[in-house]
């Protein structure tokens, strides 16, 4: 399947003219390809929310139901969408990507990146998430979002960073306490991976615990199963620099 985007109504009409023979193979076009004005009138009458629901239903019909399929939720600003003439902000989209199907299952427009946490719950109402892990970056680390995923019988992998100060600090203290004990009681499971990228060597060391005592409301209504802490070591083979970050 090939998806083609046309930036303007004129481009849509031109594409139709260029592919007239192909469209004639499955459409009845007694009056030819509609003009760009006709396309403009049609697009203006489309209800965006109804179209979104129809698009999500169509995308779901294409996607195979694969238990364990990872659904990656992320927000991106569309390149070139800033309107200088009218000073309108660039378009920011929140999308749900099926990694197994390599398909966007649904997406919603937001005014800016900071509004992602309000768009994500709306996006989830359009999706079937059962038995699928859902990944979201730090902006989605909200108890209501985690609960919504759990209520849909799915699993979540949510990133905790400094924007969740109290929770991040609690996890940090828990890790430091376990480290001081030599990881004999908590964070006992670990995995290490290395990769070489353009002269830079990344070493990722993860440790996991199933203890949440002292982390307050983390377990409230979200039923977490495990907590992972990742240490990333980056070596620049040319300059000999080492960067250590812990998330």
């Amino acid at each position: 399947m090939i998806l083609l985007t046309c930036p303007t109504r004129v481009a849509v009409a031109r594409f139709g003219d260029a592919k007239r023979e192909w469209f004639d193979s499955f459409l009845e076009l007694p009056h030819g390809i509609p003009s760009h004005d006709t396309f403009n009138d049609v697009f203006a009458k489309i209800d965006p929310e109804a179209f979104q629901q129809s698009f999500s239903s169509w995308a779901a019909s294409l996607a195979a139901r694969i238990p364990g399929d990872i659904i990656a939720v992320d927000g991106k600003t569309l390149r070139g969408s800033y309107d200088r003439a009218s000073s309108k902000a660039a378009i920011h989209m929140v999308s749900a990507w099926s990694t197994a199907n390599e398909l966007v299952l649904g997406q919603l427009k937001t005014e800016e990146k900071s509004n992602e946490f309000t768009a994500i719950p709306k996006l989830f109402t359009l999706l079937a998430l059962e038995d699928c892990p859902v990944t979201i970056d730090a902006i989605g680390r909200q108890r209501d979002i985690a609960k919504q995923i759990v209520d849909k019988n799915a699993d979540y992998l949510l990133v905790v960073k400094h924007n969740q100060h109290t929770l991040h600090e609690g996890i940090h203290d828990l890790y430091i306490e376990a480290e001081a004990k030599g990881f004999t009681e908590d964070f006992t499971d670990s995995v290490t991976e290395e990769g070489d990228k353009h002269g830079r060597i990344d070493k990722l060391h993860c440790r996991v615990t199933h203890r949440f005592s002292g982390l307050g409301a983390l377990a409230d209504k979200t039923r977490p199963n495990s907590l992972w802490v990742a240490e990333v070591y980056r070596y620049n083979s040319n300059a000999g620099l080492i960067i250590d970050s812990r998330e």
Side-chain angles (χ1 to χ4, degrees):
M1 180 177 63
I2 298 176
L3 297 179
L4 177 70
T5 60
C6 296
T8 66
R9 285 25 170 193
V10 173
V12 173
R14 287 177 176 172
F15 177 78
D17 288 332
K19 300 296 182 179
R20 172 64 188 271
E21 183 177 348
W22 178 66
F23 282 118
D24 279 336
S25 67
F26 59 90
L27 291 177
E28 293 184 6
L29 298 168
H31 304 292
I33 299 296
S35 69
H36 68 275
D37 288 329
T38 300
F39 280 116
N40 187 67
D41 292 340
V42 172
F43 293 154
K45 294 181 181 297
I46 293 177
D47 183 311
E49 293 186 4
F51 180 80
Q52 170 64 39
Q53 292 177 355
S54 297
F55 173 83
S56 297
S57 297
W58 172 73
S61 71
L62 298 178
R65 288 290 296 141
I66 303 174
D69 178 19
I70 298 176
I71 308 300
V73 177
D74 195 13
K76 297 292 183 185
T77 300
L78 301 186
R79 183 178 180 182
S81 61
Y82 174 66
D83 189 342
R84 295 182 181 275
S86 58
S87 298
K88 289 185 178 180
I91 297 173
H92 194 78
M93 301 293 293
V94 177
S95 302
W97 172 260
S98 164
T99 58
N101 289 279
E102 297 187 345
L103 179 71
V104 173
L105 300 179
Q107 57 184 193
L108 287 177
K109 175 185 174 183
T110 67
E111 295 301 321
E112 54 188 20
K113 184 174 178 62
S114 60
N115 289 343
E116 281 186 28
F117 69 90
T118 60
I120 291 172
K122 295 179 182 178
L123 181 60
F124 283 161
T125 62
L126 305 172
L127 305 176
L129 303 175
E130 186 175 0
D131 297 329
C132 294
V134 179
T135 68
I136 312 176
D137 63 14
I139 201 167
R141 172 56 262 184
Q142 307 288 333
R143 275 179 289 170
D144 290 343
I145 290 178
K147 182 178 183 301
Q148 187 179 14
I149 296 173
V150 170
D151 289 345
K152 281 182 166 283
N153 297 317
D155 298 313
Y156 61 80
L157 293 87
L158 304 181
V159 178
V160 178
K161 290 189 175 181
H162 296 284
N163 61 331
Q164 295 281 339
H165 176 73
T166 301
L167 179 58
H168 188 276
E169 191 171 283
I171 295 172
H172 178 269
D173 292 344
L174 184 65
Y175 187 84
I176 294 301
E177 178 184 340
E179 187 177 40
K181 297 177 181 178
F183 298 109
T184 55
E185 297 179 7
D186 297 295
F187 292 97
T188 53
D189 300 322
S190 64
V191 60
T192 300
E193 293 186 0
E194 290 191 19
D196 190 344
K197 297 180 181 180
H198 307 293
R200 187 190 72 193
I201 300 174
D202 289 353
K203 182 177 181 181
L204 176 66
H205 189 188
C206 294
R207 293 185 183 274
V208 62
T209 183
H210 303 282
R211 182 168 75 90
F212 302 94
S213 59
L215 296 182
L218 173 65
D220 180 26
K221 299 182 180 180
T222 61
R223 303 201 294 273
N225 177 266
S226 60
L227 175 66
W228 292 74
V229 174
E231 292 179 298
V232 182
Y233 300 88
R234 290 176 177 168
Y235 304 84
N236 188 314
S237 58
N238 296 321
L241 299 177
I242 301 178
I243 305 172
D244 174 15
S245 63
R246 179 178 295 169
E247 299 293 351

